[in-house]
Amino acid sequence: MEVKARAPGKIILAGEHAVVHGSTAVAAAIDLYTYVTLRLPLHLDENNDRLTLQLKDLSLEFSWSVARLKEEIPYDDSSNFSPSTPSSCSSETLKSIAALVEEQNIPEAKIWLSSGISTFLWLYTSILGFIPATVIITTELPYGSGLGSSAAFCVALTAALIASSGSDKTRGDGWSSLDETNLELLNKWAFEGEKIIHGKPSGIDNTVSAYGNMIKFCSGEITRLQTNMPLRMLITNTKVGRNTKALVAGVSERTVRHPEAMNSVFIAVDSISKEVAAIIQSKNENSVTEREERIKELMEMNQGLLESMGVSHSSIDTVMQTTLKHKLTSKLTGAGGGGCVLTLLPTLVSGTVVEKVVQELESSGFQCFTASIGGNGAEIYFCSD
Amino acid sequence: MEVKARAPGKIILAGEHAVVHGSTAVAAAIDLYTYVTLRLPLHLDENNDRLTLQLKDLSLEFSWSVARLKEEIPYDDSSNFSPSTPSSCSSETLKSIAALVEEQNIPEAKIWLSSGISTFLWLYTSILGFIPATVIITTELPYGSGLGSSAAFCVALTAALIASSGSDKTRGDGWSSLDETNLELLNKWAFEGEKIIHGKPSGIDNTVSAYGNMIKFCSGEITRLQTNMPLRMLITNTKVGRNTKALVAGVSERTVRHPEAMNSVFIAVDSISKEVAAIIQSKNENSVTEREERIKELMEMNQGLLESMGVSHSSIDTVMQTTLKHKLTSKLTGAGGGGCVLTLLPTLVSGTVVEKVVQELESSGFQCFTASIGGNGAEIYFCSD
């Protein structure tokens, strides 16, 4: 039996960093996906005892004997193993899993994959138990550049696991969503997976990836938004690696040094996020062009405020200047200090201009993606065989 | 008899644009001067009836018959002509003066000089009356790029006029300040002169030029500050002409569209200006290096906030990026949209680095000045002859 699942990445449209200090942030799904293909043997075969994980984009494969996994991972079958009630991975379990991951030959340069592979083993065995399978991952998202690749991985994997466990009854043609109950379940499992990778994730990434569309996030509370306008962005990956923790700490230290100024900056960002959310949800009071103009202005304002927090980077400036030459507005998205930059592509922008901008950015060594914003969340696909 | 006077230009250290919306701004004198040399004939000579103005840097000379000026300019001698009680130029007087200026052959490309030449005729005749003389102007300040060249012109000219009218008794060796009474008088006259050039000047430029040092400005109230630290800046003139009125209007329109966000931005700027003023006045609680670090950070924050107001420009970004490469922090100064950019030169920065930065900036077509901040105001110099 083969099940495919896909889950989108995300961008932060407004409010990054300030969200840590109580401001509202807005995040949106993008139509760049991580795909998971899950192949389960139709009949259990004593000769096939392997759980195999293929990371196609990295040309890496990892494989474990299912019997060994069962021996090593200390689940208490009677109580803990329960696919419909997501729980956190205990430190004891994580330790055993990490040992199993360490045995694999992960290339030194890709050692950051370890936590993702641990998450895989944990989600797989928690939801499907100890049965052999092949899981193939491909992704359109760059790893670790703030586009939510780890959440998309957790969500797509969990979607495939839930679908193949048979608990989802929606068997549409082609790609179809999960039902609300399973979406909720999926989101909870994915959040638990994100915890293994990130320690203390905000829950924004997995929620956007699971439900799609957009969300508003403030003081730990997530509100799903219904977008009423199409929005297209050019996403530029500067490929400059950043240290998110150091950037977040830097903003906090600056806030200690200049509390009055910084708190006003955070209040300004809060207003901007709320305005962005309102424009996106507004129903045709203004033309799309007018609404795009407003979003463009709010993006410019937010970028200025991010610069006043000290989280920009010369690579981001280069993207800003290149796009500005073509009258396009950009802002960093996520942690800053490199990472990714958003450029609004208005409905009326010509394809030639976009091509030119992309060409210029790529000749500076950046990687460009064009993405629609606020699309579908996790989806599954049952392959007829 | 020959008297020389000089008056400094100014920079806005913090708070431009936001000051229009009630925030505090900080301005400082720079050691770039406009010089005025005033030559009065020792004895009145019927054959010499000319008032001559030489603008050395522009290789321009204008000249009028004093008798003609007396005929054309409608002063009511008995009441209005009173050097010690500065008054505004009436629209009737200004009209007559403008006609006298129009007769001169001002090159088409320098037609913006007209109001400055009118100011000259008005200040000269109001303070010294109708006597022949030669007035020579030279300046280290670029015209019309936000460094207060017009105020420096008004202040230096008035200082020379007051000095030669004999009302100033301070006859020091070399350059010396005017006494407090005359400084006040000078500042008032210069403000009236600025009105002819700018319509509704804030009074910041002439106050800084007259008194030197630094000032804090908020809601029309000017407070003189006593600096307690040396501060050196690289000033880069992008040579991009800007329309100050349009930039100010743009910020106001943005404030109408996004009142909450923009008002928080203005509050943030207000805090920044107050912090800058406090650091500059603080007495050695922290080392110079520490204080420079704080000013650097506040400049970065202010620049981000100016960008969120939409008053930056790609030429400013270019200066930012060039200086950032050498770990130097910059912010626009004045109206933005081109104009001048400040770069803090910390005490410990090496001369080689500064040279390199200047070279790079000048190769981009910009003009660079190194200036000390917060120095002397207007000064006069009596030439022994």
Side-chain angles (χ1 to χ4, degrees), chain A residues 24 26 216 218 269-279, chain B residues 260:
Chain A
T24 304
V26 179
K216 208 164 74 176
C218 185
V269 172
D270 185 62
S271 307
I272 288 169
S273 292
K274 284 174 179 158
E275 271 200 72
V276 167
I279 293 166
Chain B
E260 268 187 56

Side-chain angles (χ1 to χ4, degrees), chain B residues 108-129:
Chain B
E108 195 63 47
K110 297 268 186 290
I111 203 69
W112 49 268
L113 280 172
S114 309
S115 61
I117 301 169
S118 291
T119 304
F120 165 75
L121 281 182
W122 181 69
L123 284 172
Y124 185 92
T125 54
S126 297
I127 298 172
L128 276 196

Side-chain angles (χ1 to χ4, degrees), chain A residues 148-162:
Chain A
S149 60
S150 69
F153 166 70
C154 291
V155 170
L157 174 64
T158 310
L161 294 171
I162 288 179

Side-chain angles (χ1 to χ4, degrees), chain A residues 254 256-262 264-265 267-272 275 279 294 297-298 300-305 307-311 313-318 320-321 324, chain B residues 254 256-262 264-265 267-272 275 279 294 297-298 300-305 307-311 313-318 320-321 324:
Chain A
R254 186 169 285 202
V256 170
R257 285 193 293 273
H258 316 285
E260 268 186 55
M262 289 296 281
S264 300
V265 166
I267 295 171
V269 172
D270 185 62
S271 307
I272 288 169
E275 271 200 72
I279 293 166
R294 299 205 83 165
E297 188 163 69
L298 291 163
E300 183 186 61
M301 290 165 69
N302 199 162
Q303 173 63 22
L305 293 163
E307 280 168 28
S308 75
M309 297 177 210
V311 295
H313 185 267
S314 62
S315 62
I316 297 173
D317 296 340
T318 303
M320 305 286 296
Q321 279 213 290
L324 193 65
Chain B
R254 187 169 285 201
V256 170
R257 285 192 293 273
H258 314 285
E260 268 187 56
M262 290 295 282
S264 301
V265 166
I267 294 170
V269 173
D270 185 63
S271 308
I272 288 170
E275 271 200 73
I279 292 165
R294 299 205 82 167
E297 186 162 71
L298 291 162
E300 182 187 61
M301 289 166 70
N302 199 163
Q303 174 63 22
L305 292 163
E307 280 168 27
S308 76
M309 298 176 209
V311 297
H313 185 268
S314 62
S315 62
I316 297 171
D317 297 339
T318 303
M320 305 286 298
Q321 279 212 287
L324 194 65

